[in-house]
Amino acid sequence: MSDPQISPPVPDERAALERVQVQLGRVEWGTLALMLGCYAAWGAALAWLPLVSVWLAVPVLACLITLQSSLSHEALHGHPFRLRVLNEALMFLPLNLAIPYGRFRDTHLAHHHDERLTDPYDDPETNYLDPAQWRRLGGAQRGLLWLNNTLAGRVLLGPMLGQIRFMAEDWRLIRRGDEPVLRDWLLHLLGAGLTLWLVAQSALPFWAYLLAAYLGLAILKIRTFLEHRAHLDPAARTVIIERGGVLGFLFLNNHLHVVHHCHPGVPWHELPRLYQGRRAQFLARNDGYAYPSYGVVMRRYALRAKDPIAHPIWSES
């Protein structure tokens, strides 16, 4: 299918986009309030919920960690301030303990080259492998990756496998003398150290916070599980989940992912309006790659893979 171009907005939508562009030159107070509220809620949950129940504190903290990870995605796209240094200062505390903000920023912006989406080498966020690499793997490795290719496996194993792969690649870059990568990790260690110091001031055991951090990353894996598919047309590689529900809020409307890729500078709260105003065009653009809800995704793929691990387009070449 050819790539249908998104047509210019109708007058009402053009006015809405112009308002967004004006807002981008100012402070986005709603996003800033959500960021500050997230940190306040995290601190309150850390201070008081363990006194009630550790098993209540863990899922609440996990949701807040997921939300802060989504807010870091907003920050790297220029929200709530125009000045990058201010946005990055807001993200100094890595509540998930795992991902340096600077590395997430750089790899995610590289991921936004749509013509490279799902490329096993050029897309830093893909889970596809080069078919030649897949053929070289042993049975145990294939089995582990097969489990990781189901939604249940991605949630249970994905944070660990992704972190190992991510850290191994960054360690290779650091050994080659990549100073920006080293700097990002050193800044991350400072922020993670401060986060753990704050945890130590609470009644929450360290193991419980580590569990909450892992669960927060696991929730994010629900979003990324099928965000992109292999397709000859780059415009058709990005998904739409029509009803995000609670997860849609934790993901800051990135269930409308094709809208974000078409308009990466538009803040999270404008994505539903853009989608509803041009739904048919977005679905034509991504060749109907859409699901009604995350509930449908969970029922369909909890124990079943959606895609092969070896990149299917590469397999045909």
Side-chain angles (χ1 to χ4, degrees):
M1 179 175 178
S2 61
D3 178 11
Q5 297 298 314
I6 297 293
S7 60
V10 298
D12 287 346
E13 292 174 304
R14 186 181 301 113
L17 281 173
E18 287 172 355
R19 286 196 298 272
V20 170
Q21 290 163 357
V22 170
Q23 290 168 1
L24 290 176
R26 304 173 182 172
V27 178
E28 293 172 26
W29 293 108
T31 301
L32 179 59
L34 184 59
M35 288 178 172
L36 297 178
C38 179
Y39 287 122
W42 178 83
L46 194 61
W48 294 319
L49 288 184
L51 303 177
V52 179
S53 169
V54 168
W55 296 110
L56 176 61
V58 166
V60 171
L61 286 168
C63 289
L64 291 168
I65 288 166
T66 300
L67 180 59
Q68 195 242 5
S69 297
S70 297
L71 285 165
S72 70
H73 173 259
E74 288 297 300
L76 69 86
H77 280 293
H79 316 291
F81 299 110
R82 289 188 70 181
L83 290 177
R84 171 173 156 174
V85 65
L86 294 179
N87 292 330
E88 298 195 354
L90 285 168
M91 294 296 115
F92 179 69
L93 281 182
L95 301 188
N96 64 38
L97 301 176
I99 310 297
Y101 173 80
R103 295 299 297 134
F104 175 47
R105 177 198 63 222
D106 293 347
T107 56
H108 183 74
L109 292 177
H111 161 82
H112 263 271
H113 294 284
D114 282 11
E115 68 278 4
R116 301 178 186 173
L117 286 175
T118 76
D119 187 294
Y121 296 103
D122 290 336
D123 180 359
E125 297 185 10
T126 190
N127 284 285
Y128 289 108
L129 294 181
D130 182 334
Q133 182 183 5
W134 171 249
R135 286 193 294 271
R136 290 194 298 267
L137 296 179
Q141 291 173 303
R142 288 190 177 200
L144 194 62
L145 290 176
W146 181 88
L147 289 173
N148 187 54
N149 209 32
T150 66
L151 181 56
R154 188 69 56 84
V155 168
L156 293 172
L157 301 175
M160 176 184 63
L161 295 179
Q163 190 69 15
I164 291 171
R165 175 185 173 187
F166 173 64
M167 292 181 71
E169 178 58 30
D170 272 14
W171 177 241
R172 283 193 289 270
L173 293 173
I174 290 169
R175 290 185 65 185
R176 293 173 192 163
D178 194 319
E179 293 183 3
V181 173
L182 176 60
R183 179 199 61 223
D184 288 337
W185 274 100
L186 291 176
L187 287 171
H188 174 73
L189 290 175
L190 286 174
L194 179 55
T195 301
L196 290 174
W197 180 82
L198 291 170
V199 173
Q201 309 314 302
S202 75
L204 188 73
F206 275 114
W207 66 262
Y209 190 80
L210 294 177
L211 177 59
Y214 195 92
L215 288 175
L217 293 169
I219 294 170
L220 284 172
K221 293 297 181 183
I222 299 172
R223 175 175 67 79
T224 61
F225 175 69
L226 44 58
E227 251 176 10
H228 300 286
R229 64 174 175 176
H231 197 284
L232 289 172
D233 181 0
R237 294 173 186 169
T238 304
V239 78
I240 284 289
I241 309 293
E242 298 231 80
R243 298 188 303 277
V246 174
L247 288 175
F249 171 70
L250 292 180
F251 301 154
L252 294 181
N253 294 327
N254 260 284
H255 61 289
L256 305 173
H257 206 56
V258 74
V259 186
H260 169 65
H261 269 258
C262 289
H263 303 285
V266 171
W268 62 279
H269 50 81
E270 291 289 340
L271 296 179
R273 184 185 305 178
L274 279 176
Y275 179 65
Q276 291 304 323
R278 300 158 72 191
R279 178 178 179 271
Q281 289 172 289
F282 283 117
L283 290 174
R285 178 181 175 84
N286 81 345
D287 198 18
Y289 183 37
Y291 295 87
S293 67
Y294 281 113
V296 171
V297 173
M298 291 174 188
R299 289 192 296 272
R300 192 171 298 177
Y301 299 116
L303 300 175
R304 184 163 64 92
K306 185 186 79 73
D307 294 312
I309 298 169
H311 197 290
I313 306 296
W314 286 39
S315 297
E316 296 170 3
S317 59

